[in-house]
Amino acid sequence: MAETAQIGSEELEELRIAFSKIDTDNSGYIDNNELHNLFKAANLDLPGHKIREIKDELLASGSQKDQINFEDFVGLFHGLKSSDVAKTFRKQLLKKEGICAVRGTEKSSEGTQHSYSEEERYAFVNWINKALEKDPDCQQLIPMDANSDTELFAAVGNGIILCKMINLSVPDTIDERTINKKKLTPFTIQENLNLALNSALAIGCHVVNIGAEDLKEGKPHLVLGLLWQVIKIGLFADIELSRNEALIALLREGEDLEDLMKLSPEELLLRWANYHLEGAGCKKVNNFSTDIKDSKAYYHLLNQIAPKGDEEGQAPIPVDMSGINENDDLKRAESMLQQAERLGCRQFVTATDVVRGNPKLNLAFVANLFNKYPALRKPENQDIDWSLLEGETREERTFRNWMNSLGVTPRVNHLYSDLQDALVILQLYEKIKVPVDWSRVNKPPYPKLGANMKKLENCNYAVELGRNKAKFSLVGIAGQDLNEGKHMPTLALMWQLMRRYTLNMLEEIGDGEKVNDEIIVNWVNKTLSDSQKSSSIASFKDKEISTSIPVLDLIDAIQPGSVRYDLVKTGDLTDEEKLQNAKYAISMARKIGTRVYALPEDLVEVNPKMVMTVFACLMGKGMKKV
């Protein structure tokens, strides 16, 4: 963890891409064979002894004799950064994978050089063109030329495309009424970009060192990094058991529902592909990179999922398998993609991307196949506890998105099971300035025997830090509760972490002065009064908050003239009118530059915890103006 903190987020993302290319079996670790293959493929003009030295250094830094994880890799690369070997290594790797280098301006990135993938740019342009082709607000921007080096980066500069893509991935995240669409000025463009960035955070994107100016200038590596996160969230939205019960068909012998629910979307996709490959009598794949380079697995997958005409209203789409016998890999990949096009699924990858085994774009290609043609049937007559498939609550989703937006590793897909070793919780302590002694922390891979004991030790340490260092109220909460994924204790800790994070931001703005609920409420009421607003709040439980009018009045007090009161419903409001006001209020708060994670329903239902975060964040924005 310490090594990753020393490297900028942009460089860290580049290293993650590099690591995924080295880790060809997607195990999360690099072994001797993979290292050998990497150096050989990178065409490095290095003597054998130099390669052995690098391999020895890599392996020496790892937690096991013959394996290193991503953190170890980052640590070594950080140490090698200034050496000619490291420069050559990186240059050859990026060149091999079709990566373009862009020099940053001195003002924005201190003259550093950033890289981006031409393949990603091409793929994302085509995906956005298809997704927004019928959106009337994007007609002047769509379609973009996928072969242009600059068109995508210029098109995202006014924020409209970003806002639209966020709403496609997570519907209703942004209230369309708050997007500035006509007669754009530098100020209204800035508002759109604020709205896009803060909404991206709210859906769980890790947005760090990215400002509105960066997007306005169309900095390629930042634009593509943000777009990939937004697109991926949308692609993965339905690869989840509570939203797609037919995924239960992927249960293996000896597993129960909870085992399946712990799998990440990536793991579920791999299991789904292998389920169909097994049905075709084919060899399974271990990844969507090296194992799909010959396109043969894709051919069989397409043939399995293509509609057979056995469902009412669905015409059969036959897949021509003759191309599988093509001798040339590139031609075979192109023939396969022509069959994918017949299914309306030719997206994200070119034939070259398949043959090269581009892991990111092939993952997107398979996710899109799943979303269009899952070809799974919900099993019947199985002894399954269907109550487990209720899906996450709003509170759970808010906490999960908040954690992911802070860049915790690994990404949290399932709130309880993904916290059972406390590694993410310990990272959150560092985010709230509670020091963590990482020498006390057990890190994966955990031994097969005693793995849970190692995780439990981490959980005990997390509770100890909460009580003794963070001074949280953790009465009756033990490490075992976190380890077992018990809901109430886990949520209690999550709330105290999020609350402390929010208050810390306020205290930083206020030169270290301590802040509590009373101080926030008083500030809100004084600000409203000073701006001649008639609304006020008695506490974060005030029923008037359900109308969202105090929130909207406060936004207008902080940025006068920003709220269009002709869109605000007043009087004796119905539940639907309250919800419309709340949607407008949450999006307006983000539009003026506030990081709000709460959902509109939190205002309507006057959820005091989330209401507190809304007013605290608005207070932070207001104090910055003083």
Side-chain angles (χ1 to χ4, degrees), residues 58-95:
L58 279 166
L59 297 174
S61 69
S63 57
Q64 291 191 16
K65 185 177 179 182
D66 60 350
Q67 287 187 322
I68 68 160
N69 60 23
F70 177 68
E71 185 184 346
D72 300 323
F73 174 70
V74 171
L76 176 87
F77 206 90
H78 186 59
L80 282 177
K81 251 175 35 172
S82 61
S83 75
D84 290 337
V85 170
K87 290 175 183 176
T88 308
F89 175 68
R90 185 169 179 273
K91 181 179 178 182
Q92 288 293 338
L93 179 66
L94 297 184
K95 180 180 178 183

Side-chain angles (χ1 to χ4, degrees), residues 58 76 135 138 170 182 188 244 248 281 372 442 449 451 465 504 548 577 605:
L58 279 166
L76 176 87
D135 192 311
C138 298
V170 184
K182 297 178 180 177
T188 56
N244 195 331
I248 294 173
K372 289 284 188 72
N442 301 309
L449 288 175
L465 280 177
N504 279 358
S548 295
E577 287 172 330
E605 296 172 11

Side-chain angles (χ1 to χ4, degrees), residues 302 337 340-347 365 368-369 372-373:
L302 290 172
L337 288 174
E341 189 167 15
R342 298 183 67 182
L343 297 176
C345 294
R346 184 167 184 158
Q347 286 287 353
F365 174 68
N368 187 47
L369 287 178
K372 289 284 188 72
Y373 301 102

Side-chain angles (χ1 to χ4, degrees), residues 240-259:
E240 204 268 317
L241 275 149
S242 66
R243 299 182 66 162
N244 195 331
E245 292 183 356
L247 281 166
I248 294 173
L250 304 181
L251 266 175
R252 292 174 179 166
E253 191 174 343
E255 287 184 335
D256 58 29
L257 198 53
E258 288 191 13
D259 295 320

Side-chain angles (χ1 to χ4, degrees), residues 22-57:
I22 302 169
D23 176 26
T24 52
D25 62 2
N26 288 339
S27 66
Y29 296 89
I30 296 172
D31 60 29
N32 259 320
N33 292 331
E34 289 173 321
L35 279 170
H36 175 74
N37 292 337
L38 170 73
F39 289 120
K40 185 177 178 181
N43 295 318
L44 282 178
D45 186 19
L46 295 174
H49 73 87
K50 182 60 71 174
I51 292 179
R52 285 194 296 274
E53 284 177 19
I54 295 173
K55 287 170 67 173
D56 288 344
E57 279 198 68

Side-chain angles (χ1 to χ4, degrees), residues 502 506 517 519-521 523-525 528 535-542 544-546 548-555 558 586 589 594-596 598 603 606-623:
T502 305
L506 267 181
D517 289 8
I519 289 172
I520 298 171
V521 169
W523 182 89
V524 168
N525 288 329
L528 289 169
S535 60
S536 64
I537 60 170
S539 70
F540 299 133
K541 298 179 180 179
D542 194 319
E544 186 62 22
I545 294 169
S546 70
S548 295
I549 289 173
V551 179
L552 287 162
D553 280 348
L554 185 60
I555 291 167
I558 293 168
I586 293 294
T594 306
R595 292 188 171 189
V596 171
L603 295 181
V606 195
N607 177 343
K609 292 177 180 177
M610 292 302 153
V611 165
M612 172 266 172
T613 65
V614 172
F615 282 116
C617 290
L618 286 170
M619 180 179 174
K621 176 65 178 176
M623 288 170 64

